[in-house]
Amino acid sequence: MNFYARFKLIIFIVNSVDMKDSSAQGLPTLIQSQATFDLIDLLSPHVSFEKIPAHRRLYYSVGGENMCYIILSGSIKVGRDIDGFVVSSMPVPNIAGITNLLPETTGLYLETLKESEIAILTTTYAQQLIGETNSWQLLVNHIAKVTANLLLTNIIMTAPSTYEVLRFQLMALMNEPASVRESTSAAKYVLERTRLSRSTIMKMLAQLKQGGYIQLDDGILIALHHLPAKY
């Protein structure tokens, strides 16, 4: 399936989800679903939330047990343990790990980028609560959103050109909370989330800055000014 066919598939899935705060101005932004919010509301009275400090890793599988995380607030990224590669950022509020589809060998984890309010429970207990509250339809819609976001991430990572990969990441960085944008250089953000070399990233950023397309202050992305579609 080529790039544009996958993008059309994303649009189809996105249109089937009850969305909130969806993508804007052509950027494949990770979507949110009202079903996720409703599911959080239903499950919250049955769990305890705690303040998780910044830079804490929360794994999808612990000791062979799949884990579920209900995230009310904060800033979260999804990483891969083997190499620290950042798979994506995670919109908040959200639920992660409510299915048991991920094998332990994936080594995926959530990492808090700032203090976050999270309830930690096993996936087994989360699914038990789904049954007790008869929330299966909400779960189905939530999973549809997760599927759409996985495809969106794949589109960003497999864009036809090196420049388009970088362009998507710069637009994603501008959509991050201020706490992330102001503490992470544009080069580091792109480097953690792509297979582009540091020299390639630095060269493109310098040329985009020189052309007036982006504004950087000590490497921090301040603004985007009509990024060109082609490099």
Side-chain angles (χ1 to χ4, degrees), residues 161-178:
S161 70
T162 297
Y163 168 68
E164 285 176 289
V165 171
L166 180 129
R167 180 173 177 268
F168 281 145
Q169 293 297 338
L170 290 178
M171 290 191 288
L173 177 55
M174 281 304 299
N175 280 344
E176 293 281 9

Side-chain angles (χ1 to χ4, degrees), residues 21 32 37 40 71-76 90-94 116-117:
D21 297 330
Q32 282 284 41
F37 303 145
I40 290 173
I71 307 156
L72 282 187
S73 64
S75 183
I76 306 290
M90 177 173 285
V92 174
N94 218 325
S116 304
E117 190 174 4

Side-chain angles (χ1 to χ4, degrees), residues 57-120:
R57 289 187 177 185
L58 304 170
Y59 285 85
Y60 280 85
S61 181
V62 178
E65 181 81 70
N66 289 326
M67 304 301 296
C68 176
Y69 303 98
I70 303 175
I71 307 156
L72 282 187
S73 64
S75 183
I76 306 290
K77 69 179 180 182
V78 182
R80 189 169 60 200
D81 196 40
I82 190 171
D83 55 4
F85 184 82
V86 178
V87 178
S88 71
S89 299
M90 177 173 285
V92 174
N94 218 325
I95 303 176
I98 202 166
T99 71
N100 56 1
L101 300 179
L102 283 174
E104 185 175 7
T105 53
T106 61
L108 292 179
Y109 60 86
L110 309 179
E111 183 175 340
T112 55
L113 300 179
K114 66 178 183 180
E115 185 179 79
S116 304
E117 190 174 4
I118 302 175
I120 302 173

Side-chain angles (χ1 to χ4, degrees), residues 2 58 113 123 169 207-208 225:
N2 64 29
L58 304 170
L113 300 179
T123 299
Q169 293 297 338
Q207 291 176 342
L208 288 171
H225 302 299

